[in-house]
């Protein structure tokens, strides 16, 4: 019998698609940020990655079941601590910049920019959603957050294609953070 | 006997091996690394094939009795 959480990949797929229709759905993705951190803070280790992460399941499905992965070994440097923590630092810096630009829209310095930014550089116009129902900063955060989610999905798909299906999980910032938190928490117990 | 050996220093604790092991021989130790119960492992290499970080090797081992 399959467990309910083995279908969470559907949630991830629907989430990514929903952003094309209405950018405000991007906010729902906060669940995928907060849940893993909370779970590891309360001592559940990487149970989010191990069980509940729909994105991981989606890569497994696309790369494994649908054979879209070449299944090669990942270059050793990607699993090294400096690369994983370096990528986390870069990712968090870009995240902080995104929060700051949301703030600039909030305090009226900047106007809402209806663009989704891919790989932190490519700007895609994304102006087919009417966001006038919410404050401009709420919409700005949605654009920024969706950019983060889409960028990481694309990176994940690329490494899935070249290496093993869940290669993204080797350098995923959430996975690095939850492992880091677990290490701090269980320092004494490690062999 | 062949047994799975995990390079725990570089394991990312993703749990892919745990999920795929037909003998349920792998557990993730507090979200830090994977560990193999050698009494259950049959050396089938499934985990070695799926590990996204490629830190598992199935090697010949003396069975400790
Ligand atoms: S490492 Fe990232 S993508 Fe992989 S299971 Fe964990 S949170 Fe999901
Ligand atoms: S699949 Fe590899 S990296 Fe993931 S938990 Fe198992 S040994 Fe560690
Ligand atoms: S070699 Fe096979 S039985 Fe042993 S831990 Fe890996 S998947 Fe499980």
């Amino acid at each position: 019998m399959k467990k309910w959480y083995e279908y969470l990949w559907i949630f991830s797929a629907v989430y990514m698609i929903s952003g094309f229709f209405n950018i405000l759905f991007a906010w729902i993705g906060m669940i995928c940020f907060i849940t893993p951190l909370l779970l590891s803070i309360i001592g559940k280790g990487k149970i989010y990655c191990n069980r509940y992460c729909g994105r991981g399941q989606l890569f497994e499905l696309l790369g494994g079941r649908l054979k879209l992965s070449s299944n090669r070994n990942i270059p050793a440097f990607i699993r090294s601590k400096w690369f994983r923590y370096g990528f986390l630092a870069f990712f968090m810096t870009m995240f902080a910049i995104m929060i700051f630009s949301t703030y600039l829209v909030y305090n009226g310095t900047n106007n809402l920019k209806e663009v989704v930014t891919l790989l932190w550089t490519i700007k895609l116009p994304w102006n087919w959603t009417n966001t006038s129902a919410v404050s401009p900063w709420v919409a700005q955060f949605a654009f920024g957050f969706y950019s983060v989610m889409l960028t990481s999905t694309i990176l994940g798909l690329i490494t899935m294609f070249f290496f093993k299906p869940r290669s993204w999980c080797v350098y995923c910032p959430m996975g690095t953070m939850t492992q880091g938190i677990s290490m701090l928490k269980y320092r004494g117990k490690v062999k | 006997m062949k047994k799975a050996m995990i390079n725990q220093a570089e394991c990312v604790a993703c749990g892919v091996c745990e999920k795929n092991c037909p003998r349920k021989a792998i557990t993730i130790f507090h979200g830090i690394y994977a560990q193999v119960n050698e009494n259950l492992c049959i050396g089938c290499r499934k985990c070695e094939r799926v590990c996204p970080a490629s830190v598992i090797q199935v090697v010949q081992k003396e069975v400790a009795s």
Side-chain angles (χ1 to χ4, degrees):
Chain A
M1 250 298 273
K2 276 212 171 189
K3 308 255 178 15
W4 65 269
Y5 53 76
E6 290 177 67
Y7 295 97
L8 284 169
W9 60 271
I10 299 172
F11 168 78
S12 286
V14 169
Y15 172 79
M16 290 319 298
I17 295 163
S18 71
F20 280 82
F21 293 99
N22 190 327
I23 193 70
L24 296 176
F25 283 124
W27 274 89
I28 297 171
M30 287 299 283
I31 299 172
C32 318
F33 255 66
I34 295 165
T35 319
L37 293 177
L38 280 183
L39 287 173
S40 58
I41 289 167
I42 63 168
K44 299 278 180 199
K46 282 188 70 166
I47 192 143
Y48 181 83
C49 298
N50 303 162
R51 258 192 213 163
Y52 305 114
C53 179
R55 166 179 300 232
Q57 294 171 8
L58 199 57
F59 288 139
E60 231 162 284
L61 212 79
L62 295 173
R65 198 82 56 83
L66 301 184
K67 301 197 175 4
L68 296 174
S69 167
S70 55
N71 270 307
R72 273 178 292 220
N73 288 350
I74 203 160
F77 80 88
I78 297 185
R79 63 169 182 259
S80 70
K81 291 256 180 314
W82 70 262
F83 182 84
R84 291 177 64 215
Y85 282 95
F87 185 70
L88 171 63
F90 169 72
F91 194 89
M92 293 316 283
T93 309
M94 299 315 275
F95 198 83
I97 292 173
M98 186 274 279
I99 299 285
F100 186 65
S101 50
T102 303
Y103 170 74
L104 290 181
V105 171
Y106 170 78
N107 77 359
T109 311
N110 286 343
N111 288 327
L112 172 64
K113 288 188 199 67
E114 296 186 303
V115 287
V116 163
T117 313
L118 279 192
L119 301 165
W120 305 281
T121 43
I122 309 156
K123 295 203 188 305
L124 306 174
W126 210 274
N127 50 10
W128 50 83
T129 310
N130 182 356
T131 56
S132 56
V134 295
S135 306
W137 73 269
V138 174
Q140 190 64 70
F141 180 81
F143 283 109
F145 196 72
Y146 193 68
S147 304
V148 171
M149 296 302 268
L150 201 57
T151 297
S152 51
T153 305
I154 288 170
L155 287 178
L157 288 172
I158 294 171
T159 47
M160 172 193 88
F161 180 77
F162 285 110
F163 312 116
K164 305 254 170 104
R166 273 180 63 170
S167 300
W168 166 253
C169 298
V170 176
Y171 62 104
C172 166
M174 296 313 299
T176 306
M177 275 195 279
T178 49
Q179 190 183 25
I181 293 168
S182 305
M183 280 173 169
L184 289 176
K185 248 190 116 80
Y186 294 100
R187 241 181 329 225
K189 292 204 183 174
V190 181
K191 289 186 258 189
Chain B
M1 269 301 264
K2 286 198 181 341
K3 301 284 175 193
M5 283 266 291
I6 298 175
N7 171 359
Q8 291 174 330
E10 293 198 289
C11 168
V12 302
C14 64
V16 176
C17 52
E18 177 190 40
K19 204 166 153 181
N20 281 279
C21 173
R23 297 292 308 256
K24 298 205 184 322
I26 303 184
T27 44
I28 307 297
F29 179 82
H30 292 298
I32 305 174
Y33 49 64
Q35 54 189 14
V36 180
N37 178 341
E38 293 194 353
N39 296 321
L40 294 175
C41 175
I42 49 166
C44 71
R45 310 206 106 119
K46 186 101 208 262
C47 54
E48 188 186 60
R49 274 201 302 274
V50 294
C51 172
S54 302
V55 294
I56 308 184
Q57 264 190 319
V58 174
V59 293
Q60 193 69 39
K61 270 211 159 177
E62 297 300 315
V63 255
S65 50

